[in-house]
Amino acid sequence: MKTKLSLIGLCVSLNCLANEVDLTVTNGGTVNYSDSSCTENCKIDTSSNDVILFPSDSDSAQFMNWSGQECDFGQGMSFDALSNSISGANGGAKTLQTLDINNDGTPDLMGISLFSGTVIESVNLGNGDFETRTVIQDLVYPAALDSFDWNGDGYDDLFVSDFGKSSIKVYLNDGNGALTFSENLKLPGIRPYAFSVYKIAESKAPQIVISSFSANTSGDLFQLVSSISEAKTAIYSQDGTDFKETKLLSNRASITLDSYVDSSGKLSIASAEIAHGEVVIYSELNDFSPKVVDESGAPYGVAIADIDNDGLQDVVTANYRPFSLRVGFSINENNMEPLKEIAKGTDGFTATAVADFDQDGLKDLATGEFNTNRFFYHAAQSYLGCGFKQGASAEVTANFEQGTTQQSSSTSSTQSSGQSQTTKTEIPKSESSGGGSLPLWLAALVPLSYLRRKFQ
């Protein structure tokens, strides 16, 4: 009762009414909603429908962010141009996976250092800075990571595909910061490279989607991709202690897979199919028919996540060539906006991970650059469209700046003897998110000096 009274008092002090959003627009900006627009101060009725406020840039005013009460949800997101360091990866920064290793409610990260055969643990200090250490060693070409509560104790465990040994290794998480090897998952005739573990609500056991193929790993990425054979991406269901194939998705190789099960139990799988230059979604809503959502010379990483909190799953892609991190926001269950580039690096992008790393209530995007040996993330700045649910009462300000282009700064951390150190790193943005098509892929991947790392 005290909480309700205090909220009523707050609303009165803010001069807001039930079922109404009090919107203020600064510096000559414009905000559109429904069939109306606002340039200074407006009262917006929410009694009948959800309302989404869309800022509109002009030559003289550019949208910066929202302030006041938080949006209930968003439609689209802006991200910081500066990157925040997560960790180094001296053997090549390949893959990232979120995992709350110490059960403190903040997202930690696991990363693969490919040619050193190790998994790196980056513990989130609660403000987006990380402390890093190596937790798994002696892997033979570790290719992918995932997290899932394998033993049902309430803590997500870690899975690593050990491509050189044709297995998926399971490490149990005790919730206090320790991982313990549990078992090797081996499927006859299957050599797991990319994979994703999930569970349908009504099923008794987890399922795994696996991309299996043979390839030459003695050289570089160019050699691996050009040597792929016996490729297959399929769903496998647990049957006792074994896994059996239940659905063939394609005869293509995936470098990264991610999966999502919606509230109705329908499965969607995202696949970065590097040899074909495509990122493809296989959705149960469409009987797993392939749908291309992004194209480039060499798509490497992919993640599915509801980035803007609107109940729809969005897609993030990391591209090795051109060096490009991209995001696409879903319009509805079957349609997505074209993916847009949010950052362009200096080397091939590989990893993808989505979580609120800096604990500001907005989801950030993490990635890695292979040959610069580093993992980092771009912090979310603001929702673009600011949504309020039906019946909402709120006071919010759309902040614009006049005569400027949007420049943002960010504090980042680099590892030094296990501690964090404040730095700034600028990742340039390119003017285009275009990429090469399949016939150009092998040639586009040069210069090979970026890739000529020998496996040891």
Side-chain angles (χ1 to χ4, degrees), residues 208-271:
I208 307 178
V209 54
I210 299 174
S211 185
S212 168
F213 53 84
S214 296
N216 185 346
T217 60
S218 64
D220 49 42
L221 180 62
F222 172 87
Q223 187 174 51
L224 182 146
V225 174
S226 63
S227 67
I228 288 174
S229 63
E230 303 175 279
K232 178 172 71 170
T233 300
I235 297 172
Y236 299 84
S237 299
Q238 193 171 23
D239 184 8
T241 59
D242 298 323
F243 280 86
K244 295 184 177 180
E245 181 181 326
T246 56
K247 178 70 177 179
L248 175 66
L249 296 177
S250 75
N251 289 115
R252 291 183 172 191
S254 177
I255 295 296
T256 303
L257 288 167
D258 197 13
S259 62
Y260 170 75
V261 179
D262 69 16
S263 58
S264 65
K266 300 296 184 181
L267 171 67
S268 293
I269 296 165
S271 174

Side-chain angles (χ1 to χ4, degrees), residues 409-426:
S409 61
S410 174
T411 300
S412 59
S413 61
T414 54
Q415 183 195 4
S416 176
S417 303
Q419 299 298 321
S420 297
Q421 179 181 354
T422 301
T423 63
K424 289 185 178 181
T425 307
E426 174 116 26

Side-chain angles (χ1 to χ4, degrees), residues 15 46 50 104 116 127 143 158 175 180 204 293 352 404 426 432:
N15 194 31
T46 65
D50 293 353
D104 65 352
S116 62
N127 61 352
L158 183 68
T180 303
K204 296 181 180 179
V293 295
T352 47
T404 63
E426 174 116 26
S432 171

